[in-house]
Amino acid sequence: MRNPISAFKTKAGNKAVVNTLVARGKKVMRELDTNSRNAEKISDDLLLRILEENKDTEYGKKYDFENIHSYEEYREKVPFSAYDDYEPYIKRMIENDEKNLISVYEPKHYALSSGSVGVPKHIPVSQAELDKYSKYGAAMAFGVADEFYRTTMGKGLPPGRGLNALELRPMQTKNGIPKGPISSTILSSHKDAIPYLVTSPWSVICTDNGDIIDMKYLKTRIALEQKDVAFMESAFMPGMVDLIDYMKEHYEMICSDIYHGRINKEIKMPAGLRKELEARMIPDRTRAARLMREFKKGFDTPIIPRIWPKLAWIGGIGTGGFFTYANKMRKYTGKNIPFNNLTYAASESLVATARHMGDTSYVLIPDGGFYEFIPAKNEYEPGKEETLTIKDLEIGEDYEIVLTNLSGFYRYRINDVVRVMGFYNECPMITFIYRKNQLLSIAGEKTNEEAVRWSVEQFMKDTGLTVTDYSVYADTDDEPGHYVILMEPDHIVKKKDIEYYREAIEKRLMQANPSYGMKINTGVLGKTELIFVQQETYMLYRDLMIMKGVSPDQLKPVRVIDTPIKEKFFFGLVEDSYEDDE
């Protein structure tokens, strides 16, 4: 039997850690509420402080920060920038340990870009930026969850450990600074609290062997033996959906291993790690039998409340291009478990945060950086890229974000376009719409990610077909060129329905982008081609990227097939079998 004293310590430790996070989260929420009422002044003051503190850096001297005293002067003297403008400085910082090049704020971490080919970008991250992630990316999630339960249930957030999908793979620069996902440095600073907060031990969360171990097995095997899991969290919703899908496929093996108190012998891992993990496992026939009963009932009714009846909330970004995964996760959770969409962030900055449970738009953090906005309606008109500040924004309009962060990037274009959905006091509430470098344009039609997302969403409503994931490919080998839409349906479709589905998605694409429709009608573009890929194709792609060393926290949806590697992979998994037409 389990040691009751040890179990008590774990529960007491969990309660203490959760209470601490809730208290910190509430403090952050109050701070955000206060700052949001004076967001315009805070934003302006922050810009001047950044310029003053960095005036003697090499970059600051180059652009005369010392003599900039207003936003108007900043906009006039300092040009837009991209990563290539900083790369020579960053190289000197990493290789020669040079300081005061782009910032007086020394990097405490380097965030790596998520590119699957080429040399990853090294984005310097200051302590101030790390603190922002700790506040708005960790503590606030618990504060928001507690607020939700107090408002709806009249009591605070239930304690309990959570299934966290994060994986850390320790890496450092040659001068000893951590690099990789920002979450790795954040979590490492709270290593002592991890055993009391999440189900996986530190040796599973932080490992050099993540590319050879079946991490889905370990995460689900360890979490399923625990009946009181209180939350699930991942950077993005696909991370959690993949875990539930894994349970669905392998529950018999997992239940057998819980029954016997072991790690399945087919799971490859270092002998030392296996010994460590099995030392904490005991046979649990009761739990195994309970799980087996629920899994055998099927997944047509929500599975999560049946295996973890105390699960209180889900944390993971399910907005924008992740909406199909949020829909799928909702089928697993049922309608009563609230979702927290966490934050809107890029490698260069955590930009905004979800203020309430269920929010699909994010409150811009006024003291988290200085932000400018280029109206998206002017993005195709060179010379009309005049920037606005938060006081100039209008509800319903789309803008490209330009950021000046806390780590040494100035007027940096991250290529993200957001829509202003409203205001939280003086702070704009934004939602991600598309990335400018994910644009499709064979004949000048300029189809963006939002148009494709909307089309797929309407397609599912029109046809009743649930799409797990999707991508688009611009085929210019044929004449005329045309779009190829790849979809992964939740079941094998009937061959006789393929043309119906093709017409349905083409109709919606033509509505979403009239220029695309006009060019099809005039023969400038060929008809839309629809291809169904095999089930679990996108999960397999994510697994392969993780095996290649890409962090799960950085895996974005593959919306545009724009490299030979992606083309070879996805077109190699085209569905070649369909249900009988009868």
Side-chain angles (χ1 to χ4, degrees), residues 78-143:
V78 181
F80 292 131
S81 66
Y83 181 79
D84 288 347
D85 296 304
Y86 302 99
E87 196 273 339
Y89 298 106
I90 294 170
K91 186 176 181 180
R92 290 163 59 191
M93 292 160 62
I94 293 174
E95 294 187 356
N96 305 328
D97 207 20
E98 294 188 53
K99 304 183 187 306
N100 293 320
L101 298 182
I102 59 176
S103 176
V104 295
Y105 321 130
E106 293 185 17
K108 301 297 182 180
H109 181 95
Y110 284 95
L112 301 184
S113 66
S114 56
S116 58
V117 296
V119 178
K121 300 173 183 177
H122 285 67
I123 311 295
V125 183
S126 67
Q127 186 61 53
E129 192 72 44
L130 289 174
D131 291 344
K132 186 170 55 167
Y133 273 87
S134 183
K135 289 167 56 176
Y136 294 101
M140 189 161 171
F142 285 83

Side-chain angles (χ1 to χ4, degrees), residues 350-369:
L350 192 158
V351 177
T353 187
R355 176 58 185 82
H356 300 101
M357 196 68 85
D359 280 356
T360 55
S361 55
Y362 302 92
V363 179
L364 192 80
I365 301 169
D367 61 339

Side-chain angles (χ1 to χ4, degrees), residues 5-25:
I5 297 178
S6 176
F8 171 78
K9 287 182 178 179
T10 301
K11 290 181 179 179
N14 169 256
K15 185 175 181 180
V17 170
V18 170
N19 287 345
T20 298
L21 285 169
V22 167
R24 289 178 182 174

Side-chain angles (χ1 to χ4, degrees), residues 189 214 294 297 357 434:
S189 65
D214 188 341
E294 296 303 329
K297 292 177 184 177
M357 196 68 85
Y434 62 90

Side-chain angles (χ1 to χ4, degrees), residues 163-167 199-200 204-205 214-224 239 243 247 308 552:
L163 170 53
N164 194 309
L166 292 176
E167 293 177 21
T199 54
S200 295
V204 172
I205 294 174
D214 188 341
M215 298 300 289
K216 292 178 186 177
Y217 169 85
L218 285 183
K219 292 173 186 176
T220 55
R221 160 68 180 87
I222 293 169
L224 279 171
L243 293 180
M247 292 182 197
W308 290 314

Side-chain angles (χ1 to χ4, degrees), residues 322-378:
F322 296 110
F323 82 97
T324 57
Y325 290 94
N327 291 345
K328 188 170 184 178
M329 194 67 185
R330 182 56 71 192
K331 292 182 179 180
Y332 288 146
T333 65
K335 63 181 181 180
N336 294 325
I337 297 176
F339 286 8
N340 185 336
N341 284 303
L342 301 179
T343 61
Y344 163 55
S347 297
E348 299 81 4
S349 180
L350 192 158
V351 177
T353 187
R355 176 58 185 82
H356 300 101
M357 196 68 85
D359 280 356
T360 55
S361 55
Y362 302 92
V363 179
L364 192 80
I365 301 169
D367 61 339
F370 181 78
Y371 298 98
E372 302 172 77
F373 302 84
I374 301 173
K377 60 187 176 185
N378 295 338

Side-chain angles (χ1 to χ4, degrees), residues 467-575:
V467 175
T468 298
D469 212 333
Y470 60 94
S471 301
V472 60
Y473 172 71
D475 188 341
T476 56
D477 292 335
D478 291 342
E479 184 65 36
H482 66 282
Y483 288 7
V484 181
I485 307 295
L486 293 91
M487 291 184 180
E488 179 186 318
D490 67 342
H491 63 270
I492 298 176
V493 301
K494 294 182 178 180
K495 185 178 294 186
K496 69 179 181 64
D497 292 332
I498 294 178
E499 177 60 20
Y500 162 70
Y501 291 137
R502 190 205 68 78
E503 291 177 352
I505 189 62
E506 181 176 76
K507 173 184 174 182
R508 288 303 190 177
L509 283 168
M510 294 168 75
Q511 287 180 313
N513 182 2
S515 176
Y516 176 69
M518 180 187 69
K519 287 179 170 59
I520 287 181
N521 289 333
T522 58
V524 175
L525 290 176
K527 287 187 176 182
T528 308
E529 183 179 357
L530 175 62
I531 292 176
F532 291 108
V533 298
Q534 299 170 23
Q535 291 176 46
E536 299 188 356
T537 289
Y538 286 85
M539 182 171 68
L540 177 59
Y541 179 81
R542 290 192 293 275
D543 289 345
L544 290 175
M545 290 299 102
I546 291 170
M547 289 176 64
K548 290 178 64 177
V550 178
S551 167
D553 307 335
Q554 294 180 307
L555 280 172
K556 305 295 195 305
V558 180
R559 289 292 165 257
V560 178
I561 296 177
D562 53 2
T563 67
I565 292 175
K566 293 176 185 176
E567 182 180 349
K568 182 177 180 179
F569 177 85
F570 285 100
F571 282 94
L573 291 173
V574 172
E575 181 61 70

Side-chain angles (χ1 to χ4, degrees), residues 62 291 411:
K62 179 178 181 180
L291 289 170
R411 307 201 76 207

